[in-house]
Amino acid sequence: MKTRILIADDHETVREGLKAIVNSQTDMEVIGEAGNGISAVNLAQELQPDVIVMDISMPEMNGLKATAKIKKLCPQVKVLTLSRHTDGGYLQELLRAGASGYILKQSAASELIHALRAVIAGGKYIDPTIAEKVLGGYTAKPVKTGFAPNLESITEREAEVLRLVAWGYSNKEIAARLKISVKTVEAHKTNSMKKLEMRSRIDIVRFALLQGWLQDT
């Protein structure tokens, strides 16, 4: 059975290009196209695709809002966001909204297919260009002598909580998934951030990138 994909972009020429790339794969097919965020939400409910390739900048409703709405209405639908922006400014919000990946429009066709396969497999995917920029701020961060930002610094459960935080889950959602209390989630998050000298969610995302948690599985 082919993976069913919906393409959402306000430029018809871009949609045609993406459609050609996807349909060139024997195990994928484009089942619908949307020219704006509202249409993407409506078609997601109507067609129930496996994956939506979602442009961020669209009229009526942008890709970020459309992603959040779709994940609430159709949580099983995976969203791979598409953008020309290389600064990664939307990354945290998109992960929080439930996006499974972020890829640049200027990336090679092979990169899009690689990202789609990663998302289809249940993983998270961040375009290498964005990953390098995000990681750059983390690896350049001064650390104390003897400090090594790796998994050996934290417990297995702390790593599990950090991974879910990086993927965009809330403390309440993490608690439900791991069958622990919200306070316990907060404690694991606080302890691990302290051990790894993290100050914010973006530090967690950077660490997740270093561990490969946001790339393909």
Side-chain angles (χ1 to χ4, degrees):
M1 183 179 294
K2 292 186 177 183
T3 299
R4 304 164 69 251
I5 297 173
L6 171 66
I7 294 175
D9 193 289
D10 59 329
H11 292 94
E12 185 175 356
T13 53
V14 174
R15 293 200 305 272
E16 286 300 317
L18 293 171
K19 184 177 180 179
I21 293 171
V22 172
N23 285 340
S24 69
Q25 304 299 302
T26 58
D27 58 344
M28 300 179 189
E29 65 176 339
V30 173
I31 61 168
E33 300 176 37
N36 59 64
I38 292 177
S39 178
V41 173
N42 291 336
L43 285 176
Q45 296 178 82
E46 178 186 342
L47 302 176
Q48 295 290 315
D50 298 306
V51 182
I52 299 176
V53 178
M54 178 84 73
D55 184 21
I56 292 179
S57 302
M58 290 189 293
E60 298 188 42
M61 180 185 289
N62 64 36
L64 175 58
K65 291 182 179 179
T67 296
K69 196 169 185 64
I70 287 169
K71 293 304 292 184
K72 286 183 179 180
L73 296 170
C74 312
Q76 78 283 0
V77 176
K78 298 178 175 65
V79 179
L80 174 62
T81 52
L82 192 66
S83 175
R84 293 188 183 279
H85 304 296
T86 62
D87 59 8
Y90 278 103
L91 182 57
Q92 290 184 72
E93 291 302 318
L94 285 165
L95 291 173
R96 191 177 296 117
S100 294
Y102 186 106
I103 187 167
L104 297 174
K105 284 188 174 182
Q106 51 269 46
S107 294
S110 58
E111 196 66 37
L112 172 63
I113 296 301
H114 184 55
L116 279 170
R117 294 196 184 286
V119 169
I120 291 166
K124 297 283 181 175
Y125 188 87
I126 305 299
D127 192 286
T129 300
I130 300 297
E132 288 174 8
K133 289 195 173 186
V134 175
L135 282 174
Y138 190 83
T139 54
K141 179 181 176 182
V143 295
K144 294 179 180 179
T145 303
F147 173 76
N150 57 47
L151 288 176
E152 295 179 1
S153 305
I154 58 179
T155 67
E156 184 176 341
R157 180 45 65 92
E158 287 170 347
E160 195 170 16
V161 168
L162 282 188
R163 182 184 295 109
L164 293 172
V165 170
W167 283 13
Y169 290 102
S170 67
N171 288 348
K172 185 176 180 180
E173 290 170 330
I174 295 172
R177 286 177 66 93
L178 301 183
K179 297 181 180 180
I180 56 179
S181 69
V182 173
K183 286 187 177 181
T184 300
V185 171
E186 293 172 348
H188 285 314
K189 179 180 174 182
T190 299
N191 291 338
S192 58
M193 289 182 72
K194 184 176 181 180
K195 291 177 183 178
L196 297 171
E197 297 187 349
M198 295 176 176
R199 299 177 183 177
S200 64
R201 180 183 287 268
I202 192 60
D203 283 340
I204 295 176
V205 172
R206 288 166 178 162
F207 180 74
L209 283 165
L210 280 172
Q211 302 305 322
W213 293 342
L214 302 184
Q215 299 294 330
D216 48 335
T217 54

